[in-house]
Amino acid sequence: MSALSQHLAILPILLPLIAGAIMIPLDDQRRRLRAGIGIASALALLVIAILLMVRAGASEGSHAAVSVYRLGDWPAKFGIVLVVDRLSALMLVLTASLGLAALVFSTARWERMGPHFHALFQFQLMGLNGAFLTGDLFNLFVFFEVLLAASYGLALHGSGIARVKAGLHYIAINLAASLLFLIGVSMIYGVVGTLNMADLAARIPAIPAGDRPILEAGAAILGMAFLVKAGMWPLGFWLPTTYAAASPPAAAIFAMMSKVGVYAVLRLSLLLFGEDAGASAGFGEGWLLAGGIMTIGFGAVSVLATQDLPRLAGASVMISSGTLLAAVGAGQVSVTGGALYYLASSALAVGALFLLIELLERGRDVGADVLAVTLEAFGDGEEDEDAGEAEEVGVAIPATMAILGACFLCCALLLAGLPPLSGFIAKFAMLSAVLNPAGLGTAAAAAVVPAASWGFLAAVILSGLATVLATTRAGVRNLWAVADRVVPRVSVIEIAPVLFLLLLCIGMTVQAGPVMRYMQAAAAELHAPHAYVRDVLAPAGARGEVRP
């Protein structure tokens, strides 16, 4: 193993940290240099993430491929430890893909809308990657604060009254969530005596019955902090407004930020409160399932209630978060595997949609939109005198509008979960697993399905229908109904990131079999974290360990 490959696990944190630090002293006269450094960093992160995913996917017999990186060669119980397994590698690939697309898109004009955009973006990537790699709760809090601090600047990037108002609300809510994070972590540490995730998983089953209520209360408070970030109803009321107000590149990477909360809930609920957690096994699963279903319902109502494309995309993020949280609450390996596939598909699709919306709205006349709504409701009071005359049938569609329309159609299919794209495969995998927990064709498959599972099924199907109606209405208004609209000027550097993200979704569809096997293997590791705990707590020199 080469010296560089031994340190791959820490490079997703170090690389954006160094790139961001280099960019800070560069003035506006060196904008191209800053953009070049940022894109080069994102490209390198994508390559590193893919290498880590390949390594994580290489199992050795029954031994899961978990790479442990101990800084300073301190034991995991006392030092900083980074852990790479299938789930964290997947999240790194998604973050790098969205980050690269957003950075390339921003070079067209959005980087010039405010100071230090590229440096803030690199620190955002650093915080996201660190949150996915860290193996202890304290450093999870540190990386949460890093990504939140960077996101505050990105949320306000570009100025404007709506952006500042939504950004200030966003800052206040996340500061409150950080306080909850600290309170929850303090209560858990006071009871268990450690913050290392693997060590917590090993100690929780032996916690005395008298201390267990304090442990579970701390876990509930900590979970609330994660659910605020994930956007679960009613804690996620801020999400559609904030994401809609942010600049398109910032909103695209924010689509990954909501997945940080889902990741933390998924990781900690199965690691700390899985089947081996004793009396606390399954803690909070019912609340996650019920909260996820309500979040799906709130998101579905939101997409139907808005005619604003950015808010529609923000509401779609809530539907995605609710679906994932409900899937985690189901507590089944096969459902979790489908949820991971859905996580990847929805994150890429929402990121592409946020970038695409800015291109679609360039040719929109706001005054004409208002007039169209008024005429639709009240009419214009005049009869069409030429209704009987022959009119031109069909209008030539400019190539730009055809490309934008095709991209919007792909985003709509992905978010609604309609065939043939990956959104349909993901929802089918989750729902079939919910209705057949023992697997298709087995005797136990005919057992009575719980009412909550039917609720999840109904919520997912109805939210898909709501998304179809909302995106169809938006597509008609923005791509079809306005005959005299101005065709927007779109450069290759702007449409290429959208096509890149959508091609990744199409690739997931074409290679659904290998991708789904990877997701199911990741889900199996999460539900049976023995290899994770063993490798993290193993003594120096044990298999799977990487030391600096």
Side-chain angles (χ1 to χ4, degrees), residues 234-256:
L235 303 175
F237 62 90
W238 56 272
L239 192 150
T241 302
T242 302
Y243 282 33
S247 64
I253 198 64
F254 283 3
M256 202 63 210

Side-chain angles (χ1 to χ4, degrees), residues 230-232 259 262 288-289 291-297 299-300 315-330 335-336 338-340 342-343 346 415-416 423 426-428 430-431 434 456-457 459-461 463-464 467:
M232 190 182 84
K259 302 301 184 288
V262 175
L288 285 177
L289 181 57
I293 292 174
M294 289 189 290
T295 304
I296 297 173
S316 298
V317 175
M318 292 199 69
I319 294 177
S320 171
S321 294
T323 303
L324 291 169
L325 292 172
V328 174
V335 177
T336 303
L340 294 179
Y342 176 80
L343 184 152
S346 62
L415 294 177
K427 288 190 175 182
F428 180 82
M430 286 188 293
L431 296 181
V434 166
F456 180 46
L457 172 71
V460 170
I461 293 177
S463 66
T467 304

Side-chain angles (χ1 to χ4, degrees), residues 180-205:
L180 293 176
F181 197 129
L182 281 177
I183 294 173
V185 166
S186 300
M187 294 176 68
I188 293 174
Y189 183 77
V191 173
V192 186
T194 183
L195 292 179
N196 181 273
M197 296 178 189
D199 201 18
L200 282 169
R203 296 189 187 190
I204 283 178

